[in-house]
Each structure stands twice: as structure tokens, then as C-alpha cells.
């Protein structure tokens, strides 16, 4: 009795929790409402299955609990029932998979009018690079990373000279324009994740990964690192500001290009490597200190 | 559909009776024992001991998450060391060791009607190497720099770099060494379990008469023998990267403004190797639980397991399929996105045999004669928890849905439900079920019920709400949840609630441990077959079973393991070693 009741309460409680609790996703700010819809479909199908199985168990426990003189029914198998259940399950699974794969193909096929934005992660901060007037990002290599050239842009590549470099500061994006985020890391794995955009992807040193999205509303959004990257991982926050076109251009005008950034520093680079002499433990402590202060 | 096999149709034993090793001293009887039953107890006790460490670590983590900023001693460094050790211990050193080394050793020989494992000496070595692996693991708590904080997935490059606790100290070296030892020890035991099931069965025990417990453990062991080598090579290669400076997994890296000496390696290769092991590992833990719970349900519902043949094929099918789904852990790893189509499809296909298992469990309850004993309660709780966790797997397996949810608390909630709590509930049910065979006494009933209710409901209350934090976007492996704009005030309250529940559930485990110890002396006498079960371990002449298990003659098996409530039979169960026909036995041919 009590057991059957508890099983029913688990179903009722879970459903009520789902419907009434205040914990739910953040309001979306990208075109990936498709993903939200797929989640809703999945909630429906799985919720129904969960309720059906547990309520069926509750009924069995109540109806077939042991009483004096009871005897179980001897039935080793029932081919028809088993086939039916298999077919129904296969149909349910297909109903989940097909829309899922459909949305995935959108997710991985980037529209041709998307602009490239590069994100470069390092322990434990985010930097960004936007193509300049030529619309192309210069090539880069981790081995070219120095204090003057924190993103490792290859100096000899003419395409890179006009690239806009945003080091350890906020990224701005214009609303309504699709962007392809090109993701790079110069040290360990990281993951660029903005909950409101519903998208994320790991960044791997030595590779360029990507995802794309279209920001659908203006606002300021927090970037979270979603791949364990060492002690500073939970502090590795960043900011993406989605602007109107006008505000975006104003911001862009204030940024510096790769050429501008590297020119003056080429002479005064005596203090470029204070880290080299520091023990690695101290360097990490110092780095954490700066990340925390931000 | 055959009737029962007539006695003269019983095939001869596949292997002639071998000379058993007989211990001569206290040392060879209880310490360096070659008796699978003693080895099983040794495995179980060691796994429980190290499991308690993992439990305490989970409290420390929950303290930090539930009450951020309150406990200064839980630095991010310490937090990462805690999650890593907690995760690795729970998955490998507790659950794998307990199900295969513990239950496998105790139950396989008894259930197949053998006197012992086929290679008792190697079996003994298996335990001692496992113990060594555990000691190496524990030693990392005392090593300079402490244990590794790389997460239980140990992803390079960070796992061997200085930004990660233990990365440039001893932590990661000891972890990898311990894993290598564990795999060597496991392989010795695993070969034993497989060969014993294939070659050591008593006369009349065909494969299709094996209890599902044996099928589950057997299939899991075969899988483990195929999956662990991937972890083995990955560990060796990472050890070489760390110690000798090779670059298997290490590309060119600029760490804190300094160029490292590595070049050209592939971090993602490690992930493929890890998950080629790691996904089957989930089922290495789950399949023994599936098998055991089937037997618990059948015995305590006094009804044959529904669809035995389907259950066997589902176990084997899940085992095989689980080798082609590994990259569902890597949808957002940056691997080629087209892999997503393939792995999402295989992953959702695996849901079908899994669902069949669930249907057959609940259909076994249908028209049963359900005794709500403690093992049965745990079995019911397992179904609820497993269905819940399995269904959230349909979110994470469906590639595009995984994009927002991966690496969030949703994942933590999902895998705790499905491979943490659900198998542990089976472990508890199994202990309440077989404790009387191991000790001759019943566990205390009142303490058992208390333990059951607190554990089942408490664990549900911990992990069910946690999914919604993940939906909100709260990432996993966050040592600090301060300054998170997505987290509302109430989300922090929810975290505190979860932490309090974690303490309550942990406390209930202490009650369970007390029960285990107290009942050895004070439990009610159990007799040889207190649950009136059909399988061979309950038919031994002595309880606990003596050395050699079955007295002078090995039992001969005449029927499948599920002849409960056979129409026409006097009792509501017919042990496997009882000959004769009782009306229309419908054992599947
Ligand atoms: C009531 C018992 C348990 C509690 C309260 C608990 C709590 C936790 C917590 C707080 C984390 C860290 C979450 C994060 O920050 O990402 C964690 C991680 C983990 N737990 Fe548990 N846990 C419990 C039982 C188990 C069991 C039985 C298993 C066995 C499979 C398990 C396996 C893991 C694994 C694999 C991780 C991931 C570690 C990582 O991210 O590297 N836990 N657990
Ligand atoms: Cu990170
Ligand atoms: Cu998996």
C-alpha cells in the first residue's frame, strides 16, 4: 500500500515540480529556439513514458501484493506483447531522433553570409579577433604566441594586419547578423558557452573548432567556460554584448588592429616576459589573482 | 518448448573435476586465500572502504556547492581533487570492483554449480593487485601536491600541466599508475570469470539456463576485457607524455606566456580512447545490476522473469552496441560534426533493448505474488531511478539537445541517476538478498527499511531537481558559483537543499554499515534458503557454503532458474537441481 502510494507520489511530485518550480532555462537570445523545441518534445515523450512505467508499477504493487494463498501466474514469455512493445519503442525513439538530426544539420551547416569571429582561450581569459576591412582573418599559430602577439597571429600574413584584436576584454556583436565563431585555444581545452545562445563548443589547442548562431536580441550576456581547464576554470567568465548595428560600429571604431598593436611594442619589449623567471606555481597564483580581480 | 530434461539426457561435465587447492594454514585460508568466496569478501570490503572515502569527498563538494564561500579550506584546487577522486573511485574502484570482483567471485561459481573459479591462484593475484592499485591511489592524498584534480576523465593537456592540481606533481602519475595496476588485476580476475562461465558449469547447466545475474556479470566482464585495454594504452601514453616529454596527446602549447616543449600531439585522440573505454564502462557497471535485479524481482515476486530469452539477447545486444556509441560523450568536443549523425543514431538505437529490459521487469510484476521484502523494495527503487536516468539519456544522446546541456549539472544529474544511484540501489538489494547466504544470518529488517526509504527518496531528491539547474545553464565542475548571472537567488537555495539531502543520505549509509556488522552476530538465523529461491547457491549443503561449495557431488541441473509458481507443483518454487515434471513447465527451449 504505502509503496504503491509513494510511487504515485513520485510521478505526481515530479510532474508538479516540472510545471511549477521556478528553475527553468534562461530567456533565449539566439536563433536556436529549434533546440528548445526539441527539448520540449523530448520532455513530453520521456515524461509520458516515465509516468506510464512508474504508475504501472504502482498498480502492480498494489494489485498483486502478497496475500495469503496468492499464487503468481506462470507465463515465461508473450511474443506478441514483446514485439508490440519493441515496435512502439522504436517509433518513439524515431520521433525523437528525426527532429534532432534535422536541427543538428542546421547547427553544423553555417550559412554563407555569416561573418567570422575568432575566440581565443587561454588559462583563464577570453580574447577575440575580428576580420578587418578585407573580411579575412590572418593565419595563426600557437608557436607564434608572445607577450606582444598574444593570439599568435602570423606576422608575415598580410591578411592579419588589419584584424581587430580584443585582448581579454568584452566582445560586441551586432544583433540579427549570423556569426560563425571560430574557436581556438593556446594552452588547454576550454569551451565557449553562453547559456542564452544555447550553443557551446570545445576549443582545442592546435585545432580550430566552430559553431554558428544569430543573436536575436540586444543585451549583455555572460560567457562561461564549460570545459575543465584547471584551477581557474570557474572564474573564466567573459562578456558578450549584443548591440544594435549603430552601437556596434561605434564600438568597432574604438578597437585596435593587429598592426597597430604590434608596432609600438616592437621597440619597448624589454619587460615582455616577467613570467619566464617566475616559478610556475607563483605564475599561476598571480594569474588567478588577476582573473579574480577582474 | 521442452518439458524438463530427463536425468539420463544430462550431458557429461565439460571439464573433469579438478583437484581443489586445500589451504593448510590460517594465512592461506583467510588472507592469501584462493577460495573465490573469500576473495569476493576481500574485494567487497576493500571496495566498500575506498567507497567511503568517495562518499566523504561528495559531502565536501556539496558543502562547497550548497554554501559557497563558507568553507575556506575547500579551495578550487581541493575541489577539483575531490571531484576527480570521487568520480574515479565511485566508477572504477567501487562499482566495477564490487560488481565483478565482489559479486562475480561469490556468485559465479555457486550459480553455475562449480567448486571454485577455474584458475584460483590467478584469482587470488587479481585481488592483491587490486589492493595495490587502491593503495597507490590513496597514497596520492599524501603525495606532494596532492591527488590529481584533472576530473575523472583526465583530459590532456590540462591533466599534465601546472594549472591543474597534481598535473606537474605526483598526483597524475600516481593516478595513471593506479589505473594501470587496476587493469592488470582486473584482467586476471576477468579471464577467470569468463572461463568459469564457459567451461566450469555443472552438468545440465546450459547457457540458456543460467540465471540472469550470471549473464549480466559474464557479458560485463567480456566487455571490460575489450574496453579496458583502450584505457590502458591511453594511460601509458599519457604517462610517457608526462614523464618522458613525449607528445602523444600534446600539441604546441603556450602556457602562461611560455612555450612548452611539446608539439604535434592530439588531445582529442585521448578522448576517443578514453570514451572507447568509458562508455562500455557505464554498461560494465549497469549489466551486472540488470542481471541481479532481474533475479531479485523474479524471486521476490514469486514469478518467472518475463521474456528470459529476450532479456539475454538484450544484455548481449546492449553489450555489443555499447562499443559503437562512445563519441556521444564528445558531441561538443570539436570532433568532426558529421560524426554526430552516426553516434546519435546508434545511441538512440541502444535505447530499444534497454527499454525492453524495463518492460520485462515491470511485466514480471504483473500478476505476480509480490513480497515487499527489502531486496524487492530496492529492486523497485532501481527501476524508478533507472527509468528516470535512462530517459534523460535520450536528451543527451540526441546530439543537438546535448549542445546546451552537455557539461552542465544536467549531465551530473543524469549520470548519477543512471550509473551512480541505480546500480548502488541494486548493490544494496543484492546485499540484503545474499547476506543470509554469506553469513547465515538475516540483516535487521527495521534498520533495513529505514536505510531503504532514506536512500531511495533522498537520492531522488538530490538528483531530480539538479537537472533543472543544468537546464538553467549551471555548468558542472564549478568550484565556485559566485558571480553567475544566470543563477537566481532561488537556484542557490536549491543547491543548499540538495547539499542537506546529500548529508542525510550519507548518514543512512552509516546505519547500513552498522547493520552489516551488527547482524553478523545478532541477526536472525537464516537457514539455507530463506527466500525460497530456485538458483543453485541456495541449494548448498552448508550455509555459508563450505570450501568446494557443494559437498561430495556437484548438483545436476534439470531446469531453468525461474520455475516459480509452476502450476501443479506443491511449492511455489522448484530449485534448478530438482528433477521431475510438475505439470506444464514452459521453460523456453
Ligand atoms: C549521494 C551520493 C553522491 C553525491 C552527493 C555525489 C555528489 C557529486 C558531486 C557534488 C559531484 C561534482 C559535480 C560537479 O561539480 O561537477 C560529483 C561528481 C561525480 N560523481 Fe558523484 N555523488 C554521489 C554518488 C556517486 C556515485 C554512486 C557515483 C558512481 C558512479 C558517482 C560518480 C560521480 C562521477 C563520475 C562524477 C564526475 C566527476 C568529474 O566531474 O570528474 N557519484 N558527485
Ligand atoms: Cu574552463
Ligand atoms: Cu556514454
Amino acid at each position: 500500500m504505502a509503496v504503491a502510494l509513494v510511487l504515485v507520489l513520485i510521478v505526481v511530485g515530479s510532474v508538479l515540480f516540472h510545471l511549477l518550480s521556478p528553475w527553468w532555462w534562461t530567456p533565449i537570445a539566439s536563433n536556436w529556439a529549434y533546440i528548445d523545441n526539441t527539448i520540449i518534445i523530448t520532455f513530453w515523450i520521456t515524461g509520458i513514458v516515465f509516468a506510464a512505467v512508474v504508475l504501472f508499477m504502482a498498480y502492480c504493487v498494489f494489485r498483486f501484493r502478497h496475500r495469503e494463498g496468492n499464487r503468481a501466474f506462470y507465463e515465461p514469455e508473450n511474443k506478441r506483447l514483446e514485439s508490440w512493445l519493441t515496435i512502439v519503442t522504436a517509433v518513439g525513439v524515431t520521433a525523437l531522433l528525426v527532429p534532432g538530426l534535422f536541427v543538428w544539420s542546421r547547427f553544423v551547416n553555417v550559412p554563407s553570409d555569416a561573418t567570422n569571429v575568432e575566440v581565443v582561450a587561454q588559462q583563464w581569459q577570453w580574447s577575440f579577433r575580428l576580420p578587418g576591412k578585407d573580411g579575412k582573418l590572418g593565419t595563426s599559430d600557437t608557436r607564434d604566441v608572445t607577450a606582444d602577439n598574444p593570439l599568435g597571429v602570423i606576422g608575415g600574413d598580410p591578411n592579419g594586419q588589419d584584424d581587430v584584436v580584443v585582448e581579454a576584454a568584452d566582445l560586441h556583436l551586432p544583433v540579427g547578423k549570423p556569426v560563425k565563431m571560430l574557436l581556438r585555444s593556446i594552452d588547454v581545452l576550454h569551451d565557449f558557452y553562453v547559456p542564452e545562445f544555447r550553443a557551446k563548443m570545445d576549443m582545442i589547442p592546435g585545432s580550430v573548432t566552430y559553431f554558428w548562431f544569430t543573436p536575436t536580441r540586444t543585451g549583455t550576456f555572460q560567457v562561461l567556460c564549460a570545459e575543465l581547464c584547471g584551477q581557474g576554470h570557474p572564474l573564466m567568465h567573459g562578456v558578450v554584448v549584443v548591440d544594435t548595428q549603430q552601437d556596434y560600429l561605434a564600438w568597432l571604431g574604438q578597437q585596435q588592429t593587429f598592426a597597430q598593436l604590434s608596432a609600438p611594442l616592437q621597440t619597448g619589449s624589454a619587460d615582455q616576459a616577467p613570467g619566464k623567471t617566475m616559478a610556475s606555481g607563483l605564475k599561476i597564483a598571480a594569474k588567478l589573482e588577476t582573473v579574480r580581480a577582474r | 518448448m521442452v518439458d524438463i530434461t530427463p536425468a539420463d539426457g544430462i550431458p557429461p561435465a565439460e571439464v573433469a573435476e579438478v583437484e581443489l587447492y586445500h589451504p593448510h594454514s590460517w594465512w592461506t585460508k583467510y588472507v592469501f586465500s584462493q577460495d573465490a568466496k573469500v576473495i569476493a569478501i576481500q574485494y567487497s570490503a576493500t571496495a566498500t572502504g575506498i567507497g567511503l572515502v568517495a562518499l566523504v569527498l561528495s559531502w565536501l563538494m556539496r558543502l562547497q556547492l550548497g554554501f559557497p564561500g563558507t568553507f575556506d579550506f575547500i579551495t578550487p584546487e581541493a575541489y577539483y581533487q575531490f571531484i576527480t577522486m570521487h568520480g574515479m573511485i565511485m566508477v572504477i574502484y567501487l562499482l566495477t570492483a564490487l560488481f565483478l570482483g565482489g559479486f562475480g567471485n561469490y556468485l559465479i561459481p555457486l550459480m553455475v554449480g562449480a567448486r571454485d573459479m577455474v584458475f584460483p591462484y590467478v584469482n587470488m593475484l587479481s585481488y592483491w593487485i587490486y589492493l595495490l592499485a587502491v593503495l597507490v591511489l590513496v597514497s596520492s592524498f599524501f603525495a606532494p601536491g596532492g591527488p590529481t584534480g584533472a576530473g575523472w576523465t583526465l583530459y590532456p593537456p590540462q591533466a599534465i600541466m601546472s594549472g591543474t592540481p597534481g598535473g606537474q606533481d605526483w598526483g597524475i602519475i600516481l593516478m595513471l599508475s593506479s589505473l594501470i595496476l587496476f587493469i592488470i588485476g582486473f584482467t586476471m580476475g576477468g579471464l577467470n570469470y569468463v572461463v568459469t562461465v564457459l567451461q566450469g558449469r555443472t552438468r545440465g547447466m546450459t547457457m540458456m539456463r543460467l540465471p540472469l545475474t550470471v549473464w549480466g556479470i559474464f557479458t560485463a566482464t567480456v566487455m571490460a576485457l575489450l574496453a579496458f585495454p583502450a584505457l590502458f594504452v591511453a594511460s601509458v601514453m599519457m604517462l610517457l607524455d608526462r614523464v618522458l616529454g613525449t607528445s602523444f596527446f600534446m600539441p604546441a602549447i603556450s602556457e602562461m606566456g611560455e612555450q612548452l616543449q611539446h608539439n604535434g600531439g592530439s588531445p582529442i585522440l585521448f578522448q576517443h580512447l578514453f570514451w572507447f573505454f568509458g562508455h562500455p564502462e557505464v554498461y560494465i557497471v549497469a549489466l551486472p545490476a540488470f542481471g541481479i535485479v532481474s533475479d531479485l524481482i523474479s524471486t521476490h515476486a514469486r514469478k518467472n522473469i518475463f521474456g528470459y530469452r529476450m532479456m539475454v539477447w538484450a544484455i548481449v545486444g546492449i553489450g555489443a552496441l555499447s562499443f559503437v556509441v562512445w563519441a556521444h560523450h564528445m558531441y561538443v568536443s570539436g570532433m568532426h560534426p558529421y560524426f554526430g549523425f552516426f553516434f546519435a543514431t546508434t545511441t538512440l538505437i541502444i535505447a530499444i533493448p534497454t527499454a525492453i529490459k524495463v518492460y520485462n521487469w515491470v511485466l514480471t510484476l504483473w500478476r505476480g505474488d509480490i513480497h515487499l521484502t527489502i531486496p524487492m523494495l530496492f529492486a523497485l527503487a532501481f527501476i524508478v531511478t533507472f527509468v528516470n536516468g535512462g530517459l534523460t539519456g535520450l536528451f543527451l544522446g540526441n546530439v543537438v539537445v546535448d549542445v546546451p546541456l552537455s557539461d552542465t549539472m544536467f549531465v551530473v544529474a543524469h549520470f548519477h541517476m543512471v550509473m551512480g544511484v541505480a546500480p548502488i540501489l541494486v548493490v544494496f538489494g543484492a546485499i540484503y538478498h545474499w547476506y543470509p547466504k554469506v553469513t547465515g544470518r538475516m540483516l535487521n529488517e527495521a534498520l533495513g527499511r529505514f536505510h531503504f526509504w532514506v536512500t531511495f527518496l533522498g537520492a531522488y531528491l538530490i538528483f531530480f531537481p539538479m537537472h533543472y539547474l543544468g537546464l538553467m545553464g549551471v555548468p558542472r565542475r564549478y568550484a565556485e558559483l559566485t558571480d553567475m548571472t544566470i543563477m537566481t537567488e532561488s537556484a542557490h537555495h536549491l543547491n543548499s537543499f540538495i547539499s542537506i539531502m546529500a548529508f542525510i543520505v550519507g548518514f543512512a549509509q552509516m546505519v547500513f554499515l552498522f547493520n552489516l556488522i551488527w547482524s553478523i552476530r545478532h541477526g536472525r538465523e537464516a537457514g539455507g534458503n530463506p527466500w525460497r529461491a530456485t538458483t543453485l547457491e541456495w541449494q548448498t549443503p552448508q550455509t555459508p557454503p563450505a570450501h568446494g561449495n557443494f559437498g561430495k557431488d556437484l548438483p545436476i541441473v534439470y531446469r531453468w532458474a525461474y520455475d516459480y509458481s509452476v502450476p501443479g507443483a506443491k511449492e511455489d518454487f522448484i530449485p534448478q537441481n530438482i528433477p521431475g515434471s510438475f505439470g506444464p513447465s514452459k521453460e523456453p527451449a
Side-chain angles (χ1 to χ4, degrees):
Chain A
M1 255 331 253
V3 179
L5 197 66
V6 170
L7 292 175
V8 173
L9 282 178
I10 286 174
V11 173
V12 175
S14 302
V15 172
L16 288 180
F17 183 95
H18 179 88
L19 296 175
L20 301 180
S21 83
W23 303 295
W24 192 242
W25 56 44
T26 48
I28 192 165
S30 80
N31 57 318
W32 293 121
Y34 305 106
I35 297 184
D36 284 359
N37 296 337
T38 319
I39 295 184
I40 294 290
I41 299 178
T42 316
F43 263 123
W44 270 102
I45 295 185
T46 55
I48 290 170
V49 173
F50 180 69
V53 171
V54 179
L55 290 177
F56 181 81
M57 276 171 67
Y59 177 75
C60 289
V61 168
F62 170 71
R63 175 75 177 67
F64 304 111
R65 68 187 184 281
H66 174 67
R67 275 153 300 183
E68 224 22 69
N70 266 17
R71 197 151 175 152
F73 180 64
Y74 191 76
E75 187 195 31
E77 39 195 36
N78 180 335
K79 286 256 165 55
R80 252 172 53 117
L81 181 59
E82 288 176 79
S83 320
W84 265 112
L85 286 171
T86 310
I87 292 168
V88 170
T89 310
V91 171
V93 164
T94 314
L96 292 174
L97 185 62
V98 171
L101 292 186
F102 184 72
V103 179
W104 178 245
S105 75
R106 289 193 178 218
F107 189 80
V108 301
N109 291 308
V110 185
S112 51
D113 60 339
T115 32
N116 288 336
V117 174
E118 185 186 67
V119 186
V120 181
Q122 74 178 80
Q123 287 174 329
W124 290 282
Q125 68 189 34
W126 305 99
S127 301
F128 306 94
R129 186 160 64 117
L130 307 167
K133 299 245 156 32
D134 62 355
K136 287 191 191 123
L137 285 168
T139 44
S140 60
D141 190 325
T142 308
R143 276 164 297 194
D144 285 297
V145 172
T146 59
D148 305 344
N149 183 3
L151 306 190
V153 179
I154 294 179
D157 185 346
N159 288 336
Q161 296 305 317
D162 63 349
D163 290 357
V164 171
V165 173
V166 182
E167 195 201 343
D170 303 351
L171 172 69
H172 288 239
L173 293 173
V175 69
K177 297 258 168 66
V179 279
K180 178 179 187 182
M181 310 297 277
L182 294 165
L183 308 170
R184 230 156 44 80
S185 163
I186 61 166
D187 45 33
V188 302
L189 303 177
H190 299 274
D191 186 302
F192 186 83
Y193 174 42
V194 178
E196 288 88 346
F197 297 160
R198 304 289 190 265
K200 65 162 76 74
M201 191 56 73
D202 277 11
M203 358 211 5
I204 311 169
S207 312
V208 181
T209 58
Y210 72 92
F211 68 84
W212 77 276
F213 71 104
T214 308
T216 50
R217 63 181 167 92
T218 56
T220 304
F221 305 101
Q222 192 172 39
V223 182
L224 301 171
C225 178
E227 184 65 75
L228 181 55
C229 55
Q231 296 175 42
H233 172 57
L235 302 173
M236 192 167 158
H237 298 170
V239 174
V240 176
V241 181
V242 176
D243 283 332
T244 59
Q245 183 69 16
Q246 214 177 5
D247 292 349
Y248 173 72
L249 290 176
W251 170 81
L252 194 62
Q254 294 165 1
Q255 304 307 308
Q256 294 200 288
T257 63
F258 176 66
Q260 286 167 333
L261 279 171
S262 35
L265 280 171
Q266 247 138 37
T267 49
S269 58
D271 60 349
Q272 76 172 53
K276 282 229 165 75
T277 50
M278 252 197 253
S280 72
L282 290 177
K283 247 189 321 190
I284 287 162
K287 186 82 203 179
L288 280 171
E289 213 39 54
T290 46
V291 171
R292 217 176 263 281
R294 205 174 289 130
Chain B
M1 300 282 161
V2 291
D3 248 4
I4 59 137
T5 319
D8 52 351
I10 296 287
E14 288 183 34
V15 183
E17 276 233 25
V18 283
E19 197 57 31
L20 259 195
Y21 171 82
H22 291 291
H24 299 293
S25 65
W26 185 86
W27 279 98
T28 48
K29 197 162 177 194
Y30 295 109
V31 182
F32 295 102
S33 171
Q34 301 187 21
D35 186 326
K37 296 187 293 299
V38 179
I39 297 172
I41 308 285
Q42 291 173 325
Y43 252 113
S44 306
T46 310
T48 310
I50 191 73
L52 282 175
V53 174
L55 178 68
V56 172
L57 292 176
S58 79
W59 290 342
L60 295 173
M61 294 184 292
R62 281 312 324 178
L63 274 183
Q64 172 66 10
L65 294 179
F67 311 94
T70 319
F71 301 94
D72 287 339
F73 73 98
I74 309 176
T75 56
E77 231 173 331
Y79 185 86
Y80 290 126
Q81 294 172 323
F82 297 163
I83 63 164
T84 308
M85 297 306 268
H86 163 83
M88 197 66 98
I89 290 174
M90 285 289 190
V91 174
I92 306 235
Y93 298 86
L94 173 68
L95 285 178
T96 308
L98 194 58
F99 271 123
L100 302 181
F103 287 99
N105 264 314
Y106 203 91
L107 294 175
I108 289 174
L110 279 164
M111 283 187 148
V112 306
R115 296 215 180 273
D116 205 324
M117 287 290 179
V118 171
F119 312 116
Y121 184 77
V122 180
N123 206 23
M124 173 184 80
L125 280 186
S126 160
Y127 168 72
W128 290 101
I129 297 176
Y130 164 64
L131 181 65
L132 187 63
V134 170
L135 292 177
V136 171
L137 186 79
V138 170
S139 73
S140 70
F141 281 103
F142 306 99
T148 168
W152 88 283
T153 48
L154 305 179
Y155 281 1
Q158 53 99 10
I160 55 174
M161 284 171 50
S162 46
T164 297
Q168 282 291 314
D169 297 304
W170 279 93
I172 188 70
I173 297 180
L174 291 171
M175 170 62 86
L176 294 170
S177 311
S178 172
L179 285 173
I180 288 171
L181 285 170
F182 181 92
I183 296 168
I184 294 172
F186 167 77
T187 306
M188 295 181 165
L191 289 171
N192 244 312
Y193 316 150
V194 171
V195 178
T196 304
V197 170
L198 290 178
Q199 298 289 309
R201 283 169 286 129
T202 187
R203 293 203 294 157
M205 181 62 91
T206 59
M207 289 301 274
M208 291 312 269
R209 282 178 174 174
L210 287 175
L212 287 169
T213 297
V214 177
W215 267 111
I217 296 176
F218 171 71
T219 314
T221 309
V222 174
M223 288 171 65
L225 289 171
L226 296 172
F228 270 122
L231 180 65
F232 188 89
V233 293
S235 301
V236 171
M237 285 151 91
M238 180 139 58
L239 209 51
L240 293 175
D241 277 6
R242 166 67 180 79
V243 179
L244 298 183
T246 56
S247 293
F248 289 105
F249 305 129
M250 302 292 280
I253 286 171
S254 160
E255 185 192 28
M256 311 264 163
E258 201 174 326
Q259 297 282 344
L260 299 188
Q261 290 307 310
H262 298 283
N263 199 356
S266 166
I268 212 160
L269 172 64
F270 177 88
Q271 301 183 21
H272 282 294
L273 288 169
F274 183 88
W275 288 113
F276 186 83
F277 144 78
H279 189 81
E281 170 63 27
V282 175
Y283 287 95
I284 290 165
V285 170
L287 290 185
F290 288 178
I292 290 171
V293 85
S294 307
D295 287 348
L296 297 186
I297 293 173
S298 171
T299 306
H300 296 269
R302 315 307 297 160
K303 185 162 174 253
N304 61 76
I305 193 75
F306 181 80
Y308 173 81
R309 267 182 299 185
M310 204 61 151
M311 291 299 250
V312 172
W313 290 120
I315 286 182
V316 175
I318 291 171
L321 278 173
S322 70
F323 279 97
V324 289
V325 299
W326 77 88
H328 65 204
H329 299 273
M330 298 169 60
Y331 288 145
V332 296
S333 69
M335 67 177 180
H336 195 289
Y338 283 12
F339 280 170
F341 294 105
F342 175 77
F343 284 101
T345 308
T346 53
T347 301
L348 290 219
I349 289 176
I350 222 176
I352 299 173
T354 312
I356 290 173
K357 297 208 70 82
V358 173
Y359 300 146
N360 287 8
W361 290 322
V362 295
L363 286 170
T364 303
L365 297 174
W366 178 252
R367 302 183 75 179
D369 175 24
I370 301 171
H371 290 57
L372 290 172
T373 56
I374 296 177
M376 182 54 134
L377 291 177
F378 275 107
L380 295 174
F382 162 81
I383 302 178
V384 173
T385 312
F386 181 75
V387 169
N388 191 295
L391 288 170
T392 52
L394 292 174
F395 289 71
L396 300 172
N398 200 356
V399 56
V400 79
V401 179
D402 182 59
V403 171
L405 297 178
S406 72
D407 283 306
T408 67
M409 285 314 233
F410 191 95
V411 175
V412 176
H414 156 73
F415 72 70
H416 276 93
M417 281 277 190
V418 80
M419 79 161 315
V421 180
I424 290 267
L425 290 171
V426 174
V427 166
F428 291 139
I431 291 176
Y432 284 94
H433 184 77
W434 277 296
Y435 186 90
K437 179 52 61 179
V438 178
T439 64
R441 289 175 189 272
M442 308 295 281
L443 281 165
N444 181 285
E445 176 92 11
L447 291 180
R449 283 181 191 269
F450 171 80
H451 174 225
F452 166 73
W453 285 113
V454 177
T455 305
F456 170 40
L457 296 179
Y460 196 82
L461 287 172
I462 293 173
F463 293 113
F464 182 77
M466 197 185 279
H467 291 94
Y468 292 82
L469 289 175
L471 200 62
M472 181 180 267
V474 181
R476 71 188 276 206
R477 294 172 166 174
Y478 261 36
E480 292 180 31
L481 290 172
T482 40
D483 305 326
M484 305 272 289
T485 57
I486 50 163
M487 276 183 87
T488 54
E489 187 62 27
S490 67
H492 286 289
H493 293 321
L494 180 59
N495 252 334
S496 312
F497 168 80
I498 291 175
S499 296
I500 292 167
M501 286 316 302
F503 281 97
I504 296 176
V505 169
F507 168 74
Q509 310 319 309
M510 303 303 135
V511 174
F512 172 64
L513 284 183
F514 170 79
N515 195 355
L516 279 184
I517 294 165
W518 186 83
S519 300
I520 290 181
R521 284 177 175 271
H522 306 278
R524 189 159 55 76
E525 293 263 5
N529 190 0
W531 310 115
R532 300 153 53 77
T534 56
T535 40
L536 293 181
E537 79 275 22
W538 300 104
Q539 324 305 333
T540 56
Q542 295 102 344
T543 295
H547 188 59
N549 291 349
F550 289 105
K552 195 164 111 346
D553 293 313
L554 284 177
I556 296 176
V557 168
Y558 297 92
R559 56 186 69 249
W560 70 331
Y562 300 99
D563 263 341
Y564 288 102
S565 305
V566 177
K570 194 150 84 338
E571 299 273 1
D572 68 352
F573 73 109
I574 312 172
Q576 286 189 277
N577 58 345
I578 300 289
S581 174
F582 299 86
S585 168
K586 285 190 267 182
E587 167 186 355

